[in-house]
PDB file of all heavy atoms in Angstrom:
ATOM      1  N   LEU A  68     107.304-142.060  78.759  1.00 94.00           N
ATOM      2  CA  LEU A  68     105.877-141.861  78.981  1.00 94.00           C
ATOM      3  C   LEU A  68     105.308-140.796  78.046  1.00 94.00           C
ATOM      4  O   LEU A  68     104.349-141.039  77.312  1.00 94.00           O
ATOM      5  CB  LEU A  68     105.621-141.468  80.440  1.00 94.00           C
ATOM      6  CG  LEU A  68     104.154-141.181  80.813  1.00 94.00           C
ATOM      7  CD1 LEU A  68     103.299-142.432  80.613  1.00 94.00           C
ATOM      8  CD2 LEU A  68     104.062-140.703  82.265  1.00 94.00           C
ATOM      9  N   CYS A  69     105.907-139.589  78.035  1.00 96.00           N
ATOM     10  CA  CYS A  69     105.353-138.509  77.206  1.00 96.00           C
ATOM     11  C   CYS A  69     105.923-138.491  75.799  1.00 96.00           C
ATOM     12  O   CYS A  69     105.383-137.840  74.909  1.00 96.00           O
ATOM     13  CB  CYS A  69     105.560-137.161  77.878  1.00 96.00           C
ATOM     14  SG  CYS A  69     107.295-136.622  77.992  1.00 96.00           S
ATOM     15  N   ARG A  70     107.042-139.207  75.568  1.00 95.00           N
ATOM     16  CA  ARG A  70     107.616-139.382  74.235  1.00 95.00           C
ATOM     17  C   ARG A  70     107.865-138.051  73.517  1.00 95.00           C
ATOM     18  O   ARG A  70     107.047-137.593  72.717  1.00 95.00           O
ATOM     19  CB  ARG A  70     106.736-140.298  73.396  1.00 95.00           C
ATOM     20  CG  ARG A  70     106.531-141.686  73.999  1.00 95.00           C
ATOM     21  CD  ARG A  70     105.715-142.576  73.107  1.00 95.00           C
ATOM     22  NE  ARG A  70     106.354-142.761  71.809  1.00 95.00           N
ATOM     23  CZ  ARG A  70     105.793-143.387  70.790  1.00 95.00           C
ATOM     24  NH1 ARG A  70     104.571-143.893  70.914  1.00 95.00           N
ATOM     25  NH2 ARG A  70     106.433-143.503  69.641  1.00 95.00           N
ATOM     26  N   PRO A  71     108.980-137.399  73.784  1.00 95.00           N
ATOM     27  CA  PRO A  71     109.292-136.099  73.155  1.00 95.00           C
ATOM     28  C   PRO A  71     109.257-136.105  71.632  1.00 95.00           C
ATOM     29  O   PRO A  71     109.077-135.046  71.023  1.00 95.00           O
ATOM     30  CB  PRO A  71     110.713-135.805  73.675  1.00 95.00           C
ATOM     31  CG  PRO A  71     110.777-136.507  74.991  1.00 95.00           C
ATOM     32  CD  PRO A  71     109.988-137.777  74.797  1.00 95.00           C
ATOM     33  N   GLU A  72     109.425-137.280  71.011  1.00 94.00           N
ATOM     34  CA  GLU A  72     109.391-137.321  69.544  1.00 94.00           C
ATOM     35  C   GLU A  72     108.021-136.986  68.983  1.00 94.00           C
ATOM     36  O   GLU A  72     107.875-136.717  67.785  1.00 94.00           O
ATOM     37  CB  GLU A  72     109.847-138.687  69.024  1.00 94.00           C
ATOM     38  CG  GLU A  72     108.921-139.846  69.323  1.00 94.00           C
ATOM     39  CD  GLU A  72     109.208-140.560  70.626  1.00 94.00           C
ATOM     40  OE1 GLU A  72     109.877-139.959  71.500  1.00 94.00           O
ATOM     41  OE2 GLU A  72     108.761-141.710  70.790  1.00 94.00           O
ATOM     42  N   LEU A  73     106.978-136.990  69.841  1.00 93.00           N
ATOM     43  CA  LEU A  73     105.628-136.675  69.381  1.00 93.00           C
ATOM     44  C   LEU A  73     105.278-135.197  69.550  1.00 93.00           C
ATOM     45  O   LEU A  73     104.191-134.773  69.161  1.00 93.00           O
ATOM     46  CB  LEU A  73     104.593-137.513  70.144  1.00 93.00           C
ATOM     47  CG  LEU A  73     104.717-139.034  70.019  1.00 93.00           C
ATOM     48  CD1 LEU A  73     103.593-139.719  70.765  1.00 93.00           C
ATOM     49  CD2 LEU A  73     104.709-139.455  68.555  1.00 93.00           C
ATOM     50  N   ALA A  74     106.174-134.408  70.112  1.00 93.00           N
ATOM     51  CA  ALA A  74     105.880-132.995  70.349  1.00 93.00           C
ATOM     52  C   ALA A  74     105.751-132.242  69.037  1.00 93.00           C
ATOM     53  O   ALA A  74     106.525-132.465  68.103  1.00 93.00           O
ATOM     54  CB  ALA A  74     106.984-132.370  71.200  1.00 93.00           C
ATOM     55  N   PRO A  75     104.777-131.328  68.925  1.00 92.00           N
ATOM     56  CA  PRO A  75     104.659-130.519  67.700  1.00 92.00           C
ATOM     57  C   PRO A  75     105.819-129.550  67.580  1.00 92.00           C
ATOM     58  O   PRO A  75     106.440-129.171  68.577  1.00 92.00           O
ATOM     59  CB  PRO A  75     103.326-129.782  67.893  1.00 92.00           C
ATOM     60  CG  PRO A  75     103.121-129.739  69.365  1.00 92.00           C
ATOM     61  CD  PRO A  75     103.728-131.005  69.910  1.00 92.00           C
ATOM     62  N   GLY A  76     106.111-129.135  66.335  1.00 83.00           N
ATOM     63  CA  GLY A  76     107.195-128.190  66.095  1.00 83.00           C
ATOM     64  C   GLY A  76     106.737-126.766  66.271  1.00 83.00           C
ATOM     65  O   GLY A  76     105.609-126.493  66.687  1.00 83.00           O
ATOM     66  N   THR A  77     107.611-125.823  65.926  1.00 72.00           N
ATOM     67  CA  THR A  77     107.293-124.412  66.053  1.00 72.00           C
ATOM     68  C   THR A  77     106.927-123.828  64.704  1.00 72.00           C
ATOM     69  O   THR A  77     107.391-124.284  63.666  1.00 72.00           O
ATOM     70  CB  THR A  77     108.488-123.622  66.634  1.00 72.00           C
ATOM     71  OG1 THR A  77     109.644-123.894  65.842  1.00 72.00           O
ATOM     72  CG2 THR A  77     108.746-124.033  68.065  1.00 72.00           C
ATOM     73  N   SER A  78     106.093-122.809  64.721  1.00 66.00           N
ATOM     74  CA  SER A  78     105.621-122.200  63.481  1.00 66.00           C
ATOM     75  C   SER A  78     106.688-121.287  62.900  1.00 66.00           C
ATOM     76  O   SER A  78     107.626-120.880  63.590  1.00 66.00           O
ATOM     77  CB  SER A  78     104.355-121.383  63.752  1.00 66.00           C
ATOM     78  OG  SER A  78     104.672-120.211  64.456  1.00 66.00           O
ATOM     79  N   PRO A  79     106.577-120.923  61.599  1.00 57.00           N
ATOM     80  CA  PRO A  79     107.577-120.051  60.963  1.00 57.00           C
ATOM     81  C   PRO A  79     107.770-118.729  61.681  1.00 57.00           C
ATOM     82  O   PRO A  79     108.842-118.162  61.629  1.00 57.00           O
ATOM     83  CB  PRO A  79     107.015-119.845  59.555  1.00 57.00           C
ATOM     84  CG  PRO A  79     106.177-121.038  59.301  1.00 57.00           C
ATOM     85  CD  PRO A  79     105.586-121.397  60.636  1.00 57.00           C
TER      86      PRO A  79
END
Side-chain angles (χ1 to χ4, degrees):
L68 178 62
C69 68
R70 301 183 60 187
E72 68 270 20
L73 300 183
T77 53
S78 72

